[in-house]
Amino acid sequence: MNVNLYGTQGKWVMVDLGLTFADPGYPGVELILPDLAFIEERADDLLGVVLTHGHEDHIGAIPYLAADLGVPLYATRFTAELIKGKLDEEGLTGKVDLHVIENEGSFQLGPFGFTYVPLAHSIPEGNALLIDTPHGRIFHTGDWKIDEAPLLGQPSTAEELTAIGDQGVLALVCDSTNVFNEEASGSEADVRKGLDEAIGACKARVLVTTFASNAARLQTLGEVAQDTGRKLCVAGRSLDRIIRVAKASGYLQHFPPVIDVDEAMRLPPREVMIIATGGQGEARAALSRIAFDSHPIKLSAGDTVVFSSKQIPGNEIAIGRIQNALAAKGVEMITDRQAEVHVSGHPGRPELKAMYGWIRPEIILPVHGELRHMAEQARFAKSLGVPHGIVQSNGTLVRLAPDGPKAIGHERTGRLVLDGDVILPADGSTMNERRRAGLYGFVGVTVVIGKDGRLKGEPALHLQGLPVEEDREDFVADACAAAADAVAKGGKDEAKLREAIRLAVRRRATSWTGKKPVVDVAIIRV
């Protein structure tokens, strides 16, 4: 969930505006957005949002937050087309100013000069940003790797990056994701060989799951389908969208024609290869629906699923659930642990070392990954002669120049959730109430009180998620008696009476279950 802010001379620019995906700590929520309160308070001084590439963690929050920022967006063509599709889906066509910058193009925003510097990544038009400021130049890598044989696009050469370093770079703001990897990430060309071998040995139907945005991998899979004599079927709307945008932007021009699902299921299994979304265990993605028999594509014993992607930390349980379902069908599975069917889009230590040598920054400012990754990159860069470094956390305000690097403050950062169609604080009352109800259960109490202040009839209880299944009737009778007793002892102050009833019922629930449920009390006076 990347949002970076650079400020000088009282003006600000934003680099990337991404989202992340919710975990079970956010019940009922799928998308997490960044809280932009810091820059919203300075919106008059924000000049624009510059996007490095089209992954969701870099552009995903744009349709939800960019219109309120009220500033133009800047991106190269492929990224801009992905953004345009998102804006169209949200009914924001024409309401957000989107500028398309040519590959390796430059533009000026107030005191900031930007130049796109192509770098290899797992999506077309991955870019670093060379940012000129009155105090020095920043080389902001975005996500990157070294690929000597890229399938899509032409990343900058060592000579071109060395020339940038020759002109002087104040700070290298650099991807830390794979800093603990002793080996380079590898080339997409190596994946083609590994997939050819793995899929060529399969005797039945093959399904390959990968990140939809990895257009280079889609190109590879198209070639592998041809290499192995299989017709290609694509399952997943996000895959359809990426293929469409990539072709419109000049990529995937030789991607083979695809067959529809019905034809894929009619053909002999040995003649079919399916590309599907869902390798990270996403419940609504094609692979999950296939695994649990709610998709027109059916897999059976002897078929193979190839996971052509890395398991993202935190997704282990969701992925395991799908793999167990596939195993129950007798489906065989191949991951990057069994064969070379995936390479990362992020730099290992040899690639980082090369970048330091080309750019030769005065300062290393690690980004991406967790704090342990960023701290390790700072140590690694220092060991290789980068003079200065600083490790930041979310909200750290860093002065790079003059007299930097130095942490000069810490600003509040936070998370927002997209809950249905509403954006809410991730730690606000709605989410906290939902978490409490999910953890402890819910009891609704309704009492009817007459003009004489006495209870009319019996209290009514409504339970959700309280562990009293076999003793439900006895518990309800006991809790109703406690509520009636609280009414009998109550006074005319309705707030105090409501609280007395709430506490009485919750005490009975705790006595029966050991849990303290959310208790909501409704008082009706007649």
Side-chain angles (χ1 to χ4, degrees):
M1 187 168 61
N2 297 283
V3 178
N4 308 271
L5 289 165
Y6 291 96
T8 192
Q9 297 183 354
K11 299 298 180 182
W12 293 88
V13 290
M14 183 182 293
V15 173
D16 292 332
L17 182 51
L19 54 70
T20 189
F21 298 100
D23 59 37
Y26 300 91
V29 168
E30 292 186 1
L31 302 181
I32 307 291
L33 310 174
D35 187 340
L36 303 181
F38 172 85
I39 196 61
E40 288 172 346
E41 294 168 1
R42 298 159 176 81
D44 290 345
D45 294 318
L46 181 64
L47 302 176
V49 182
V50 185
L51 292 314
T52 58
H53 66 283
H55 276 146
E56 288 295 299
D57 58 328
H58 292 258
I59 68 168
I62 286 174
Y64 309 108
L65 302 177
D68 289 339
L69 289 174
V71 296
L73 312 180
Y74 300 83
T76 54
R77 183 181 176 186
F78 178 80
T79 305
E81 286 297 319
L82 291 177
I83 293 169
K84 183 178 181 296
K86 291 177 175 295
L87 295 174
D88 290 346
E89 289 176 3
E90 293 298 318
L92 294 173
T93 304
K95 296 180 182 179
V96 177
D97 192 8
L98 177 59
H99 295 269
V100 179
I101 308 298
E102 293 300 317
N103 290 331
E104 302 182 64
S106 299
F107 58 98
Q108 193 76 23
L109 285 178
F112 300 92
F114 287 89
T115 300
Y116 276 106
V117 181
L119 294 178
H121 188 41
S122 55
I123 192 171
E125 297 179 17
N127 287 286
L129 293 172
L130 185 61
I131 308 173
D132 281 288
T133 80
H135 296 287
R137 300 199 306 166
I138 313 298
F139 193 80
H140 182 109
T141 67
D143 294 350
W144 68 282
K145 62 180 285 185
I146 295 174
D147 192 335
E148 300 295 346
L151 290 184
L152 301 179
Q154 290 296 324
S156 301
T157 64
E159 292 75 18
E160 290 168 332
L161 294 170
T162 300
I164 290 173
D166 289 343
Q167 297 173 22
V169 172
L170 170 67
L172 175 64
V173 180
C174 188
D175 183 352
S176 309
T177 308
N178 282 347
V179 67
F180 291 107
N181 291 8
E182 294 292 345
E183 297 182 357
S185 293
S187 172
E188 192 64 28
D190 298 328
V191 178
R192 179 177 178 179
K193 296 176 185 176
L195 286 167
D196 273 342
E197 292 177 6
I199 293 173
C202 294
K203 304 302 182 184
R205 186 174 288 110
V206 172
L207 183 150
V208 184
T209 182
T210 190
F211 295 109
S213 60
N214 193 342
R217 186 64 44 79
L218 297 181
Q219 175 72 34
T220 297
L221 292 172
E223 294 169 346
V224 169
Q226 293 174 322
D227 294 344
T228 56
R230 293 174 180 264
K231 292 188 177 181
L232 195 61
C233 174
V234 173
R237 287 185 301 171
S238 54
L239 284 167
D240 292 335
R241 181 173 64 251
I242 287 289
I243 292 170
R244 183 177 66 253
V245 171
K247 287 184 175 182
S249 302
Y251 304 103
L252 299 183
Q253 296 303 302
H254 301 293
F255 194 72
V258 298
I259 60 175
D260 61 27
V261 170
D262 290 339
E263 185 176 356
M265 294 308 299
R266 286 196 301 267
L267 286 171
R270 177 62 184 82
E271 297 179 11
V272 176
M273 187 176 98
I274 301 157
I275 306 175
T277 55
Q280 297 304 310
E282 304 97 315
R284 295 185 181 182
L287 180 59
S288 177
R289 293 164 55 209
I290 292 167
F292 293 100
D293 295 320
S294 61
H295 193 282
I297 292 173
K298 306 298 179 185
L299 297 179
S300 54
D303 292 341
T304 301
V305 172
V306 179
F307 288 80
S308 185
S309 57
K310 182 181 179 181
Q311 181 172 282
I312 295 175
N315 291 344
E316 295 88 352
I317 292 175
I319 295 171
R321 174 174 168 268
I322 288 174
Q323 291 180 340
N324 285 333
L326 293 171
K329 296 176 181 294
V331 173
E332 300 176 17
M333 285 164 276
I334 299 172
T335 72
D336 60 348
R337 296 182 180 181
Q338 286 85 43
E340 191 168 8
V341 295
H342 176 65
V343 289
S344 175
H346 302 273
R349 291 171 89 89
E351 293 152 289
L352 291 170
K353 180 179 179 180
M355 184 64 77
Y356 303 153
W358 295 328
I359 299 299
R360 288 151 286 152
E362 297 176 32
I363 299 168
I364 181 69
L365 182 63
V367 293
H368 306 339
E370 299 175 12
L371 186 59
R372 60 194 174 93
H373 299 90
M374 294 186 282
E376 177 61 22
Q377 186 179 182
R379 287 191 289 267
F380 185 55
K382 183 178 181 180
S383 74
L384 293 173
V386 177
H388 306 288
I390 187 168
V391 179
Q392 62 179 341
S393 59
N394 289 336
T396 303
L397 188 61
V398 176
R399 178 191 289 143
L400 294 174
D403 304 321
K406 184 184 298 182
I408 59 173
H410 194 85
E411 299 293 336
R412 184 184 70 83
T413 59
R415 292 181 161 205
L416 305 174
V417 297
L418 181 65
D419 191 17
D421 295 328
V422 181
I423 296 175
L424 299 169
D427 57 354
S429 60
T430 298
M431 293 308 302
N432 287 334
E433 289 167 3
R434 192 175 298 167
R435 292 185 186 106
R436 285 198 299 270
L439 288 170
Y440 306 118
F442 172 84
V443 180
V445 185
T446 302
V447 296
V448 180
I449 300 175
K451 293 179 180 180
D452 58 1
R454 295 184 178 182
L455 185 68
K456 296 286 187 180
E458 292 292 324
L461 258 66
H462 173 68
L463 312 181
Q464 287 189 337
L466 203 65
V468 290
E469 294 182 9
E470 294 182 359
D471 302 316
R472 186 183 184 94
E473 291 184 5
D474 291 339
F475 165 74
V476 168
D478 190 21
C480 285
D485 187 51
V487 172
K489 295 178 180 178
K492 295 182 179 180
D493 187 318
E494 188 147 324
K496 291 181 179 180
L497 177 59
R498 181 177 286 107
E499 181 65 4
I501 297 169
R502 187 185 74 84
L503 291 175
V505 171
R506 195 176 73 166
R507 279 193 292 267
R508 300 317 302 149
T510 303
S511 175
W512 279 77
T513 68
K515 300 179 79 71
K516 295 182 178 180
V518 176
V519 179
D520 184 66
V521 178
I523 298 175
I524 301 173
R525 293 192 179 271
V526 296

